[in-house]
Amino acid sequence: MLIRITAMFSLSVVGLVLISVMFVVDIEAQAPADPTIAITTNGADSNIWLMDADGVNERGLLHVGGQQPVGLVWSPDGTKLAFHNKIGDNVDIYVVGSDGKNLKRLTDHEAEDSNPDWHPSGQKLAFQSMRDGNFEIYTMTTAGQVIENLTNDPGNDITPAWSLDARKIAFSGKRGKTLGDVFVMDSDGANPQNITNTRSKDFDPRWAPDGKQFVFTTERNGAGDIFLMDINGENQRQINFEPNPGFVGIDGAPVWSPDGGEVAYEVCGAGVCKIIVIDPDKPKNQLILPQPGGFNRSPAWFDPEFVAEFSVSPAGKRPMTWGWLKQVRHTQ
């Protein structure tokens, strides 16, 4: 919650002249104290919900007008959630405090702006936009001021994701004959490299916390499925299994747990959407999260133990983060 504190001091100068001094202190909403998953729903009371990572203690955060918000993602410090939503004729990017207050519209453009992702410093966001006639990747400040156009290709470039050290951005690019492959480029848009190299649509790449793998969505089997691969594109394998026999779903929007041990994703079919949590090494061991609405989508995972303290490093050196150091220790 933003708390505005104003203090007034009066000093007598030359007997009768009063000088007033005012200062303002802004205090952000506090991050969740425990591992927390945020989801979106089509509920009437709230359409953004929070729950503990084991699926208990679900509570409504707020109701956003328009359509169901999607593209949900936590800020690195856990004090905000960004997402996109269609309100009126525009699809734009919004941000709200982790307490459900101070909802702000970051973009206001007649073209679609969607799928935001936070820079590890929390000081800017990458997103996709149609403002040049097709989807390209842009960055903007947390106030919504566009900084850079990172891609410029006739095909659509979508679903950007920063690496933990902020040196790379993964995205899905429709280049050549592909319907959309996972690419990795430098954070300034240079040197895009095709990682998946298939003719199917591969999108929603998300870096593993240790930086060694991607989880992503693919349509190579005809509908949405969740795959893992090494960051060089090798060892691609499916990890999703449908929750019930005979259930045919479209799976997508995968996200890692901050410790890298689990993956959450949405599965939609038969008129419902569910959020499923799996261990990638034992994907048949599933946790289906509670359903406050008929369409539960867009999981976002936060754990205060893995909050990253991002710092700028000299050229050619890896920025250090406490979250990254913890993850290295966790996997050794």
Side-chain angles (χ1 to χ4, degrees), residues 266-306:
E266 65 183 41
V267 53
C268 297
V272 297
C273 289
K274 304 176 182 181
I275 305 298
I276 295 179
V277 178
I278 62 169
D279 178 343
D281 295 326
K282 301 176 181 179
K284 291 187 178 181
N285 295 337
Q286 300 177 341
L287 170 65
I288 301 178
L289 296 183
Q291 292 182 254
F295 289 86
N296 289 359
R297 301 192 59 196
S298 196
W301 205 319
F302 175 77
D303 187 337
E305 183 179 353
F306 291 89

Coordinates of all heavy atoms in Angstrom, one line a residue, residues 266-306:
E266 N -1.4 -23.8 -16.9 CA -2.9 -23.9 -17.1 C -3.2 -25.0 -18.1 O -2.5 -25.2 -19.1 CB -3.4 -22.5 -17.6 CG -3.0 -22.1 -18.9 CD -3.5 -20.7 -19.4 OE1 -3.5 -19.8 -18.5 OE2 -3.9 -20.6 -20.6
V267 N -4.3 -25.6 -17.9 CA -4.9 -26.6 -18.8 C -6.3 -26.3 -19.0 O -7.1 -26.2 -18.1 CB -4.6 -28.0 -18.4 CG1 -5.2 -28.3 -17.0 CG2 -5.3 -29.0 -19.4
C268 N -6.7 -26.0 -20.3 CA -8.1 -25.6 -20.6 C -8.8 -26.6 -21.5 O -8.2 -27.0 -22.5 CB -8.1 -24.2 -21.3 SG -7.5 -22.9 -20.2
G269 N -10.0 -27.0 -21.2 CA -10.7 -27.9 -22.0 C -12.0 -28.3 -21.3 O -12.2 -28.1 -20.1
A270 N -13.0 -28.7 -22.1 CA -14.3 -29.1 -21.5 C -15.0 -28.0 -20.8 O -15.7 -28.2 -19.8 CB -14.2 -30.4 -20.6
G271 N -14.8 -26.8 -21.2 CA -15.4 -25.6 -20.7 C -14.8 -25.1 -19.4 O -15.4 -24.2 -18.7
V272 N -13.6 -25.6 -19.0 CA -13.0 -25.1 -17.8 C -11.5 -24.9 -18.0 O -10.9 -25.4 -19.0 CB -13.2 -26.1 -16.6 CG1 -14.6 -26.3 -16.2 CG2 -12.5 -27.5 -16.9
C273 N -10.9 -24.1 -17.1 CA -9.4 -24.0 -17.1 C -8.9 -24.3 -15.7 O -9.5 -23.8 -14.7 CB -8.9 -22.7 -17.6 SG -9.1 -22.3 -19.3
K274 N -7.9 -25.1 -15.6 CA -7.3 -25.5 -14.3 C -5.9 -25.1 -14.2 O -5.2 -25.1 -15.2 CB -7.5 -27.0 -14.0 CG -8.9 -27.5 -14.1 CD -9.0 -29.0 -13.9 CE -10.4 -29.6 -14.1 NZ -10.4 -31.0 -13.9
I275 N -5.4 -24.9 -13.0 CA -3.9 -24.7 -12.8 C -3.4 -26.0 -12.2 O -3.9 -26.5 -11.1 CB -3.7 -23.5 -11.9 CG1 -4.3 -22.2 -12.4 CG2 -2.1 -23.3 -11.7 CD1 -3.8 -21.8 -13.8
I276 N -2.3 -26.5 -12.8 CA -1.7 -27.8 -12.3 C -0.3 -27.5 -12.0 O 0.4 -26.7 -12.6 CB -1.8 -28.9 -13.4 CG1 -3.3 -29.2 -13.7 CG2 -1.0 -30.1 -13.0 CD1 -3.5 -30.3 -14.7
V277 N 0.2 -28.1 -10.9 CA 1.6 -28.0 -10.4 C 2.2 -29.4 -10.5 O 1.6 -30.3 -10.0 CB 1.7 -27.4 -9.0 CG1 3.1 -27.4 -8.5 CG2 1.0 -26.0 -8.9
I278 N 3.4 -29.5 -11.1 CA 4.0 -30.8 -11.3 C 5.5 -30.6 -10.9 O 6.1 -29.6 -10.9 CB 3.9 -31.3 -12.7 CG1 4.6 -30.4 -13.7 CG2 2.5 -31.6 -13.1 CD1 4.8 -30.9 -15.1
D279 N 6.1 -31.8 -10.6 CA 7.6 -31.9 -10.5 C 8.0 -32.3 -11.9 O 7.6 -33.4 -12.4 CB 7.9 -33.0 -9.5 CG 9.4 -33.2 -9.4 OD1 10.2 -32.9 -10.3 OD2 9.8 -33.9 -8.4
P280 N 8.8 -31.5 -12.6 CA 9.2 -31.9 -14.0 C 9.9 -33.3 -14.1 O 9.8 -33.9 -15.2 CB 10.2 -30.8 -14.4 CG 9.9 -29.7 -13.5 CD 9.5 -30.3 -12.2
D281 N 10.5 -33.8 -13.1 CA 11.1 -35.1 -13.1 C 10.1 -36.2 -12.8 O 10.4 -37.4 -13.2 CB 12.2 -35.2 -12.1 CG 13.4 -34.2 -12.4 OD1 13.7 -34.0 -13.6 OD2 14.0 -33.7 -11.4
K282 N 9.0 -35.9 -12.2 CA 7.9 -36.8 -11.9 C 6.6 -36.2 -12.3 O 5.7 -35.9 -11.4 CB 7.9 -37.2 -10.5 CG 9.3 -37.9 -10.1 CD 9.2 -38.2 -8.6 CE 10.6 -38.8 -8.1 NZ 10.6 -39.1 -6.7
P283 N 6.3 -35.9 -13.6 CA 5.2 -35.1 -14.0 C 3.8 -35.7 -13.7 O 2.8 -35.0 -13.7 CB 5.4 -34.8 -15.5 CG 6.3 -35.9 -15.9 CD 7.2 -36.3 -14.7
K284 N 3.8 -37.0 -13.4 CA 2.5 -37.6 -13.2 C 2.0 -37.3 -11.7 O 0.9 -37.6 -11.4 CB 2.5 -39.1 -13.5 CG 2.6 -39.4 -14.9 CD 2.4 -40.9 -15.2 CE 2.5 -41.1 -16.7 NZ 2.3 -42.6 -17.1
N285 N 3.0 -36.8 -10.9 CA 2.6 -36.4 -9.5 C 2.1 -35.0 -9.6 O 2.9 -34.0 -9.7 CB 3.8 -36.5 -8.6 CG 4.3 -37.9 -8.4 OD1 3.5 -38.9 -8.6 ND2 5.5 -38.1 -8.0
Q286 N 0.8 -34.8 -9.6 CA 0.2 -33.5 -9.9 C -0.6 -32.9 -8.7 O -1.2 -33.7 -7.9 CB -0.8 -33.6 -11.1 CG -0.2 -34.1 -12.4 CD -1.2 -34.2 -13.5 OE1 -2.4 -34.3 -13.2 NE2 -0.7 -34.2 -14.7
L287 N -0.5 -31.6 -8.6 CA -1.4 -30.9 -7.6 C -2.3 -30.0 -8.5 O -1.8 -29.2 -9.2 CB -0.6 -30.1 -6.7 CG -1.4 -29.1 -5.8 CD1 -2.3 -29.8 -4.8 CD2 -0.4 -28.2 -5.0
I288 N -3.6 -30.2 -8.4 CA -4.6 -29.3 -9.1 C -5.0 -28.3 -8.1 O -5.5 -28.6 -7.0 CB -5.8 -30.1 -9.6 CG1 -5.3 -31.2 -10.6 CG2 -6.7 -29.1 -10.3 CD1 -6.4 -32.0 -11.2
L289 N -4.7 -27.0 -8.4 CA -5.0 -25.9 -7.4 C -6.5 -25.7 -7.3 O -7.3 -26.0 -8.3 CB -4.3 -24.6 -7.8 CG -2.8 -24.7 -7.8 CD1 -2.2 -23.3 -8.2 CD2 -2.2 -25.1 -6.5
P290 N -7.0 -25.1 -6.2 CA -8.4 -24.8 -6.1 C -8.9 -23.9 -7.2 O -8.1 -23.2 -7.8 CB -8.5 -24.1 -4.7 CG -7.3 -24.6 -4.0 CD -6.2 -24.8 -5.0
Q291 N -10.2 -23.9 -7.5 CA -10.8 -23.2 -8.6 C -11.8 -22.2 -8.1 O -13.0 -22.5 -8.0 CB -11.4 -24.2 -9.6 CG -10.5 -25.1 -10.3 CD -11.1 -26.0 -11.3 OE1 -11.2 -27.2 -11.1 NE2 -11.5 -25.4 -12.4
P292 N -11.4 -21.0 -7.8 CA -12.4 -20.0 -7.4 C -13.2 -19.5 -8.6 O -14.2 -18.8 -8.4 CB -11.5 -18.8 -6.9 CG -10.1 -19.0 -7.5 CD -10.0 -20.5 -7.7
G293 N -12.9 -19.8 -9.8 CA -13.7 -19.5 -11.0 C -13.7 -20.7 -11.9 O -12.9 -21.6 -11.8
G294 N -14.5 -20.6 -13.0 CA -14.5 -21.7 -14.0 C -13.3 -21.7 -14.9 O -13.0 -22.7 -15.4
F295 N -12.7 -20.5 -15.0 CA -11.5 -20.4 -15.9 C -10.4 -19.9 -15.1 O -10.2 -18.7 -14.8 CB -11.8 -19.5 -17.1 CG -12.7 -20.1 -18.1 CD1 -14.1 -20.0 -18.0 CD2 -12.2 -20.8 -19.2 CE1 -14.9 -20.5 -18.9 CE2 -13.1 -21.4 -20.1 CZ -14.4 -21.2 -20.0
N296 N -9.5 -20.8 -14.5 CA -8.4 -20.4 -13.8 C -7.2 -20.4 -14.7 O -6.8 -21.4 -15.3 CB -8.1 -21.4 -12.6 CG -9.2 -21.2 -11.5 OD1 -10.1 -20.4 -11.6 ND2 -9.0 -22.0 -10.5
R297 N -6.5 -19.2 -14.8 CA -5.5 -19.1 -15.8 C -4.3 -18.4 -15.3 O -4.3 -17.8 -14.2 CB -6.0 -18.4 -17.1 CG -7.2 -19.1 -17.8 CD -7.4 -18.4 -19.1 NE -6.3 -18.5 -20.0 CZ -6.1 -17.8 -21.1 NH1 -7.0 -17.0 -21.5 NH2 -5.0 -18.0 -21.8
S298 N -3.2 -18.4 -16.0 CA -2.1 -17.4 -15.9 C -1.4 -17.5 -14.5 O -1.3 -16.5 -13.8 CB -2.6 -16.0 -16.2 OG -1.5 -15.1 -16.4
P299 N -0.9 -18.7 -14.1 CA -0.2 -18.7 -12.8 C 1.0 -17.9 -12.7 O 1.8 -17.8 -13.7 CB 0.1 -20.2 -12.6 CG 0.2 -20.7 -14.0 CD -0.8 -19.9 -14.8
A300 N 1.3 -17.3 -11.5 CA 2.5 -16.5 -11.3 C 3.0 -16.9 -9.9 O 2.2 -16.9 -8.9 CB 2.3 -15.1 -11.4
W301 N 4.3 -17.2 -9.7 CA 4.8 -17.8 -8.5 C 5.8 -16.9 -7.8 O 6.7 -16.4 -8.5 CB 5.4 -19.1 -8.8 CG 5.5 -20.2 -7.7 CD1 5.7 -19.9 -6.4 CD2 5.3 -21.6 -7.8 NE1 5.7 -21.1 -5.7 CE2 5.4 -22.1 -6.5 CE3 5.0 -22.4 -8.9 CZ2 5.3 -23.5 -6.3 CZ3 4.9 -23.8 -8.7 CH2 5.1 -24.3 -7.4
F302 N 5.6 -16.6 -6.5 CA 6.5 -15.8 -5.8 C 6.9 -16.5 -4.5 O 6.1 -17.1 -3.8 CB 5.9 -14.5 -5.4 CG 6.8 -13.6 -4.5 CD1 7.9 -12.9 -5.1 CD2 6.6 -13.5 -3.2 CE1 8.8 -12.2 -4.3 CE2 7.4 -12.8 -2.4 CZ 8.5 -12.1 -2.9
D303 N 8.2 -16.4 -4.1 CA 8.7 -17.0 -2.9 C 9.7 -16.0 -2.3 O 10.7 -15.7 -2.9 CB 9.4 -18.3 -3.2 CG 9.8 -19.0 -1.9 OD1 10.0 -18.4 -0.8 OD2 10.0 -20.3 -1.9
P304 N 9.4 -15.5 -1.1 CA 10.3 -14.4 -0.5 C 11.7 -14.9 -0.3 O 12.6 -14.1 -0.2 CB 9.6 -14.1 0.8 CG 8.7 -15.2 1.1 CD 8.3 -15.8 -0.2
E305 N 11.9 -16.2 -0.2 CA 13.3 -16.8 0.1 C 14.2 -16.6 -1.1 O 15.4 -16.6 -1.0 CB 13.2 -18.3 0.4 CG 14.5 -18.8 0.8 CD 14.5 -20.3 1.1 OE1 13.4 -20.9 1.2 OE2 15.6 -20.9 1.3
F306 N 13.6 -16.4 -2.3 CA 14.4 -16.3 -3.5 C 14.2 -14.9 -4.2 O 14.3 -14.8 -5.4 CB 13.9 -17.4 -4.5 CG 14.3 -18.7 -4.0 CD1 13.5 -19.5 -3.2 CD2 15.6 -19.3 -4.3 CE1 13.9 -20.7 -2.8 CE2 16.0 -20.5 -3.9 CZ 15.1 -21.3 -3.1

